[in-house]
């Protein structure tokens, strides 16, 4: 009995210590993001959303990359494909109203936030960088919303979960990733009838991939001048529906 008591007590102590450690890490991450980003709203396709992002006045905009203490901060940029996808959802809220939605490669969480604002029944934001989950929580709070469920493991290639809608913004930046996405999305659609929306500004890896022939264009948006400057002159960003039956 004493051995069982010790084991149970030890287990609770370890669990409590881990929880306290995790809270301290999240608190430190929130403070770091707050100190090294700015709240941005107007200079995007979705001025109604407020997001914490890198701007030219932030320290790490010009700081030496090796001084950055985390993984590459993709979550600190509002990428043009994500902007188009979020704008499309906000313009057409019925697309995700009452639906279960997965924002894959969620970054700053903008598309997940847009889905919540549009009345989605359940939203999951998935990004393999834990800092993206912290940023998504902070950005949800900025917009007066309860954060979505945030997952930080790589779900591409895992057994397909039953989502009505999967959102992908700027995920076709790498040929091998695009290929693995293509295969996994097919399984999601075959298993659950999932719908897929893709936002991309027309990068070469996207335009040249086989999946491009299976997409139906839904919308095209002209990017604001500041977004063009930050993205090497890309002028437009579009939204496509993935339709393998084409």
């Amino acid at each position: 009995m004493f051995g069982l008591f010790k084991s149970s007590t030890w287990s609770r102590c370890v669990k409590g210590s881990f929880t306290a450690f995790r809270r301290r890490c999240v608190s430190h991450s929130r403070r770091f993001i707050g100190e090294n980003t700015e709240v941005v709203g107007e200079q995007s396709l979705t001025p109604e959303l407020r997001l914490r992002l890198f701007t030219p006045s932030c320290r790490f905009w010009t700081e030496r990359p090796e001084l950055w203490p985390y993984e590459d901060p993709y979550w600190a940029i509002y990428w043009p494909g994500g902007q188009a996808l979020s704008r499309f959802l906000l313009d057409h809220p019925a697309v995700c109203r009452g639906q279960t939605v997965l924002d894959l490669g969620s970054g700053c969480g903008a598309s997940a936030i847009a889905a919540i604002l549009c009345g989605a029944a359940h939203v999951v934001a998935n990004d393999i960088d834990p800092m993206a989950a912290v940023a998504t929580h902070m950005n949800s709070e900025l917009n007066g919303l309860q954060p979505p469920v945030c997952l930080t493991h790589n779900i591409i290639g895992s057994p397909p979960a039953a989502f009505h809608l999967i959102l992908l913004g700027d995920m076709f930046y790498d040929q091998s990733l695009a290929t693995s996405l293509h295969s996994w999305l097919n399984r999601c659609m075959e298993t659950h009838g999932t719908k897929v929306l893709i936002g991309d500004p027309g990068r070469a890896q996207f335009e040249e991939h086989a999946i491009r022939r299976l997409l139906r264009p839904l919308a095209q948006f002209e990017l604001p001048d500041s977004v063009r400057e930050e993205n090497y002159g890309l002028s437009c960003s579009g939204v496509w529906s993935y339709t393998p039956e084409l």
Side-chain angles (χ1 to χ4, degrees):
M1 176 65 74
F2 182 60
L4 288 174
F5 172 76
K6 286 201 298 182
S7 175
S8 174
T9 302
W10 173 251
S11 176
R12 287 198 301 272
C13 287
V14 169
K15 185 177 180 180
S17 297
F18 176 76
T19 300
F21 173 74
R22 185 177 180 183
R23 285 175 179 164
R24 286 197 298 273
C25 288
V26 170
S27 176
H28 178 271
S29 298
R30 289 177 66 95
R31 185 168 61 252
F32 185 87
I33 291 173
E35 292 172 352
N36 291 284
T37 59
E38 286 190 331
V39 177
V40 177
E42 298 299 321
Q43 303 300 318
S44 76
L45 288 175
T46 56
E48 61 266 60
L49 298 186
R50 302 175 72 227
L51 303 168
R52 280 204 161 274
L53 304 170
F54 279 169
T55 71
S57 59
C58 293
R59 172 192 168 192
F60 283 98
W61 188 270
T62 55
E63 187 62 270
R64 298 201 314 273
E66 61 269 23
L67 296 179
W68 178 257
Y70 298 100
E71 296 294 326
D72 289 343
Y74 297 112
W75 52 265
I77 306 292
Y78 193 9
W79 301 97
Q83 291 196 32
L85 198 52
S86 300
R87 181 71 270 155
F88 181 80
L89 294 180
L90 293 169
D91 289 346
H92 304 87
V95 169
C96 53
R97 185 181 296 128
Q99 306 290 292
T100 55
V101 179
L102 170 64
D103 182 8
L104 186 64
S106 50
C108 67
S111 294
I113 290 169
I116 295 171
L117 287 170
C118 292
H122 181 65
V123 179
V124 174
N126 174 234
D127 197 296
I128 59 173
D129 186 351
M131 287 292 280
V134 178
T136 295
H137 273 246
M138 295 176 70
N139 288 331
S140 298
E141 292 163 5
L142 270 177
N143 290 278
L145 301 172
Q146 286 293 320
V149 173
C150 291
L151 304 179
T152 57
H153 62 280
N154 185 3
I155 66 174
I156 300 171
S158 63
F163 289 98
H164 293 116
L165 178 64
I166 295 178
L167 308 172
L168 300 98
D170 301 277
M171 286 291 284
F172 290 85
Y173 55 85
D174 176 84
Q175 194 74 11
S176 60
L177 174 60
T179 299
S180 61
L181 270 173
H182 189 180
S183 174
W184 185 71
L185 291 173
N186 280 344
R187 292 205 304 277
C188 291
M189 298 181 79
E190 291 167 0
T191 306
H192 301 294
T194 303
K195 295 180 180 179
V196 178
L197 295 181
I198 295 172
D200 197 275
R203 294 187 180 89
Q205 298 92 328
F206 175 70
E207 294 292 340
E208 296 169 3
H209 196 274
I211 197 173
R212 180 66 181 83
R213 299 192 303 272
L214 306 175
L215 303 181
R216 179 168 59 90
L218 298 179
Q220 190 85 352
F221 301 96
E222 291 218 3
L223 295 170
D225 290 341
S226 60
V227 179
R228 295 186 189 199
E229 292 170 8
E230 293 169 8
N231 289 275
Y232 306 103
L234 290 170
S235 60
C236 296
S237 191
V239 177
W240 286 266
S241 173
Y242 181 37
T243 51
E245 66 273 11
L246 283 176

